[in-house]
Amino acid sequence: MSMAANPSAGEAYASPPAEPEIPKRRNAELMLLVVALVVGMFAYANVGFAMNNKLPGNFWTVGIGFAVVLLVAHLAVRWLAPYADPLILPLAAGINGLGLVLISRLDPYNIAHGLAPSSGAAKQQAIFSVLGVLVLIAVLFFLRDHKVLQRYAYISALVGLIMIALPAVLPASMSEVNGARSWVKFAGLSIQPAEFAKLLMVSFFAAYLHAKRDTLALASRKVLGIWIPRGRDMGPLIVSWAFAMLVLVRETDLGVSLMFFGAFVIMLYLATERASWLIFGVLMFIGGAVLVGLTFSHVQVRFESWLNPFGDVTNTSRQTAQSLYAFANGGLFGTGLGQGYPYLVGFANNADYIMDTVGEELGLVGLAALLIAYGLFVARGLKTALLVRDPYGKLFAAGLAVTFALQVFITAGGVMRVIPLTGLPMPFLAYGGSALLANWILAALLLRISDSARRPLPPALPLSAPPGFYDPHNPGNDGPNQAVRV
Amino acid sequence: MTGLTITVMKLGLLAILWIFVLLALGVVRTDLFGAGGSRTGRSRASAKPTPPAAVVDRPSARPRRGAVPTHLVVTSGSLAGTSVALTGVQITLGRAHDSTIVLDDDFSSSRHARIYPDATGQWVVEDLGSTNGTYLDRTKINGPTPVPLGVPIRIGKTALELKK
């Protein structure tokens, strides 16, 4: 723990407390941001040379533009959250940058086939990346203490549930994209409300479990070495399970359903330390998903192309098969950016299937680096949860990290055929404005919580009666009564 | 652009990608183990001479000389494992959101207790008029009480200890 290394602890004795020497690590962050920018720009140059034999026309404009954006973000963190974790911002920026390059690499095919706007998906994504960074700064500016969010727990739950349920209620013409009804389309905009809802729901779960953890940790009896929770405490689990199943049936969206239920179950485990919740949760979800899969044909199709990807290669399982070919073609070192055929997977090749491009053109070596970057992001979130001193913040940070991890697992697992493919975008990497904005907000929240976790204790209050303290031993006190510091 | 150049660029990109990841891992490593020998040496140097000085300056200091706590660690309860460095600043305990350690314990009051160093540097715990009281080991405290190293301060189901 970084606080453990605080060298000034011993000096506290006689001298007034010196500025505590908890390292802020902002220079490490700046260094990593520079490297992240170099990764993105080098990849962009590589794409240009491989595909058009020259540096992309806007190379220097883009490079300087993003350098300015990242510098502004860095200075904002220095100003607004000086003790924040030094890895969160560079990792988000690095993955975002790599994603932009991959999207621009897929653009020529997608524009020609009407899969991207005629101005290019990369341009839109670049705009949303900049917006995302601005939103990050705004969140850091307006949210000075994450504990404020705890007060709005039930409102966030309500708004979150409405956002998740909205696509299921709207007519299919307004909510369906390629079989999954997880969108809201109006006035030419299409947003994925589940992306924002995940933040609200995690905040609610954290506040709820913080209040109810003691009751939920009660066990009735031990069976086969595990504690069985009391029947009446199963309520919240059953409600969130029913909701997850409803989303699965109505929205055909295994991903959203798994992400929410999974986040709830894992947070329940974190709050109560009872592994039996995990076991019940997993059994319930698998049981429910299999039942739904057997009953509803649209879910069945996805299960079928998962179990048997080469069964119907020209029709239903074509994308899964293409995705597997892409990884196979990539091999150990990949074909090199701009030199493979990852676009052949067709629809959503720059969104849900963007890992194909990483796997095919950067190979196992590049894919492993990317997954480690994701893993580090999650690890820093969990580390923040360990360090922070208030229970709501602990559960909130852990919940955000776990949701992020689940999303990465569900998406990457889907394209690699570990689990049935679902409709979640790869965080920070995939094309999609709402997802990108939501993930930048997630990064901002983690920065905020980690800042309050690593920030040194507030400056010494006078030892007598700090404002707001009732001193029972000296009620009418108007001067130092304990000790005066030298 | 020859195929060779493209291949070199491809491998170069993979190399930069891994450098990025390894640098990030390096930052994690520094967090865990400190920034190498020179830094730990410095922190030891700055931490060591001070406590004896404090003891020598004040011969009337309490008997536990040399045993200088540096951390307040939560040893049981829902916050178990949380640790706060002692920097000479008072530490407040309670359910109130602005407490240094925000207790999540049904038996704690919003401003339950505080822990602070007195003039001699001895850490003292004081109950702030809580409903259920603060215990030093098994004894309920009345008024400011010196806290020896390793003796649990109990608030409801939460226990906290000063550690070296």
Side-chain angles (χ1 to χ4, degrees):
Chain A
M1 241 185 281
S2 61
M3 301 181 95
N6 180 4
S8 68
E11 298 166 356
Y13 278 68
S15 57
E19 186 68 22
E21 286 180 36
I22 293 172
K24 294 183 183 169
R25 314 303 309 277
R26 292 273 74 82
N27 293 335
E29 178 185 87
L30 183 61
M31 180 266 294
L32 280 172
L33 274 175
V34 171
V35 181
L37 185 72
V38 170
V39 170
M41 294 320 290
F42 192 86
Y44 193 40
N46 187 357
V47 166
F49 280 118
M51 293 175 78
N52 304 319
N53 250 334
K54 59 178 169 44
L55 211 60
N58 58 1
F59 182 81
W60 294 109
T61 332
V62 169
I64 293 169
F66 278 106
V68 170
V69 169
L70 291 183
L71 186 67
V72 169
H74 172 71
L75 292 177
V77 172
R78 245 176 217 270
W79 170 41
L80 294 165
Y83 290 93
D85 192 286
L87 280 184
I88 292 172
L89 185 62
L91 286 171
I95 299 174
N96 195 163
L98 189 65
L100 272 171
V101 173
L102 298 179
I103 292 167
S104 80
R105 177 258 172 280
L106 293 165
D107 257 356
Y109 176 88
N110 287 344
I111 293 172
H113 290 76
L115 293 172
S118 53
S119 58
K123 194 180 161 195
Q124 281 212 354
Q125 181 82 347
I127 294 172
F128 273 104
S129 306
V130 176
L131 277 180
V133 174
L134 293 180
V135 167
L136 172 115
I137 297 171
V139 170
L140 288 179
F141 182 80
F142 287 108
L143 183 75
R144 292 303 177 94
D145 181 4
H146 62 272
K147 279 166 275 186
V148 170
L149 297 175
Q150 191 177 2
R151 290 183 215 149
Y152 303 105
Y154 284 87
I155 295 179
S156 16
L158 186 71
V159 176
L161 286 181
I162 291 176
M163 282 170 104
I164 302 175
L166 201 57
V169 183
L170 289 175
S173 63
M174 285 177 75
S175 65
E176 187 163 322
V177 174
N178 201 33
R181 295 177 65 170
S182 52
W183 299 77
V184 174
K185 293 191 282 189
F186 66 95
L189 281 171
S190 48
I191 57 172
Q192 265 187 312
E195 286 293 329
F196 296 101
K198 77 179 179 195
L199 305 174
L200 294 169
M201 292 310 285
V202 168
S203 166
F204 164 68
F205 291 159
Y208 173 80
L209 293 171
H210 161 48
K212 300 281 155 79
R213 74 201 310 169
D214 288 340
T215 324
L216 293 169
L218 288 177
S220 58
R221 58 177 181 279
K222 211 172 182 181
V223 174
L224 294 177
I226 54 166
W227 290 100
I228 307 292
R230 297 185 305 173
R232 72 189 93 153
D233 296 332
M234 297 289 273
L237 189 69
I238 291 172
V239 168
S240 77
W241 175 81
F243 191 77
M245 287 303 125
L246 214 66
V247 169
L248 183 55
V249 171
R250 269 301 283 182
E251 300 182 9
T252 341
D253 205 332
L254 184 68
V256 169
S257 155
L258 183 57
M259 184 170 76
F260 282 103
F261 188 66
F264 181 71
V265 170
I266 295 176
M267 287 176 73
L268 192 55
Y269 168 65
L270 292 176
T272 61
E273 298 174 36
R274 293 231 176 261
S276 47
W277 287 118
L278 281 183
I279 298 169
F280 278 107
V282 170
L283 289 181
M284 277 168 81
F285 192 83
I286 292 180
V290 168
L291 204 69
V292 170
L294 292 176
T295 331
F296 294 88
S297 65
H298 46 239
V299 184
Q300 224 167 356
V301 170
R302 297 215 166 177
F303 272 81
E304 183 53 35
S305 62
W306 169 54
L307 293 171
N308 200 358
F310 301 105
D312 192 8
V313 275
T314 52
N315 190 17
T316 52
S317 67
R318 188 188 66 80
Q319 285 195 305
T320 317
Q322 286 285 9
S323 164
L324 292 177
Y325 286 139
F327 283 109
N329 190 30
L332 200 55
F333 291 98
T335 58
L337 278 179
Q339 302 197 292
Y341 310 92
Y343 45 81
L344 288 179
V345 80
F347 179 81
N349 59 13
N350 58 10
D352 300 5
Y353 285 100
I354 197 159
M355 289 299 272
D356 286 3
T357 314
V358 181
E360 177 162 2
E361 304 204 327
L362 298 176
L364 181 65
V365 174
L367 192 65
L370 181 67
L371 288 177
I372 293 177
Y374 276 119
L376 277 174
F377 190 92
V378 173
R380 296 318 276 185
L382 292 174
K383 159 115 187 189
T384 298
L386 281 177
L387 283 183
V388 75
R389 290 186 296 265
D390 70 290
Y392 167 77
K394 265 186 197 306
L395 282 172
F396 192 28
L400 290 175
V402 161
T403 322
F404 190 89
L406 271 175
Q407 191 166 354
V408 171
F409 169 74
I410 292 169
T411 318
V415 294
M416 294 174 195
R417 208 171 71 90
V418 177
I419 55 170
L421 185 90
T422 59
L424 284 181
M426 203 70 190
F428 289 118
L429 196 69
Y431 174 52
S434 27
L436 197 57
L437 287 185
N439 284 317
W440 276 109
I441 297 177
L442 188 150
L445 291 171
L446 283 181
L447 284 177
R448 174 48 74 221
I449 301 175
S450 69
D451 176 55
S452 81
R454 297 180 68 240
R455 187 183 285 273
L457 306 179
L461 298 168
L463 277 182
S464 53
F469 271 88
Y470 169 69
D471 185 345
H473 306 288
N474 193 1
N477 128 22
D478 55 343
N481 68 330
Q482 297 295 339
V484 183
R485 270 188 228 284
V486 186
Chain B
M1 207 40 66
T2 63
L4 181 66
T5 323
I6 300 285
T7 310
V8 170
M9 276 195 100
K10 169 185 120 179
L11 295 176
L13 176 62
L14 291 177
I16 298 181
L17 201 58
W18 271 98
I19 289 173
F20 176 60
V21 167
L22 291 176
L23 282 174
L25 282 170
V27 171
V28 175
R29 203 194 72 91
T30 314
D31 257 17
L32 289 174
F33 305 112
S38 62
R39 171 94 173 274
T40 27
R42 181 159 55 82
S43 68
R44 255 189 236 119
S46 70
K48 262 195 180 152
T50 331
V55 173
V56 171
D57 282 356
R58 294 164 211 284
S60 63
R62 288 164 216 272
R64 300 195 65 87
R65 68 180 53 206
V68 177
T70 60
H71 287 90
L72 179 68
V73 180
V74 183
T75 49
S76 75
S78 59
L79 287 171
T82 307
S83 132
V84 176
L86 300 175
T87 54
V89 180
Q90 79 164 354
I91 291 169
T92 58
L93 308 167
R95 294 162 76 94
H97 285 172
D98 55 351
S99 309
T100 315
I101 297 183
V102 183
L103 296 176
D104 169 31
D105 193 307
D106 289 342
F107 297 97
S108 71
S109 303
S110 51
R111 301 201 186 280
H112 197 107
R114 61 179 172 138
I115 298 172
Y116 59 89
D118 69 8
T120 61
Q122 170 68 43
W123 286 85
V124 173
V125 61
E126 180 185 12
D127 191 88
L128 296 170
S130 68
T131 313
N132 294 308
T134 306
Y135 293 77
L136 191 60
D137 205 2
R138 298 285 168 195
T139 333
K140 187 165 183 174
I141 60 165
N142 297 301
T145 313
V147 188
L149 262 180
V151 174
I153 300 163
R154 294 185 202 276
I155 294 174
K157 283 174 281 181
T158 307
L160 308 101
E161 280 177 29
L162 294 180
K163 296 223 165 136
K164 267 212 268 196

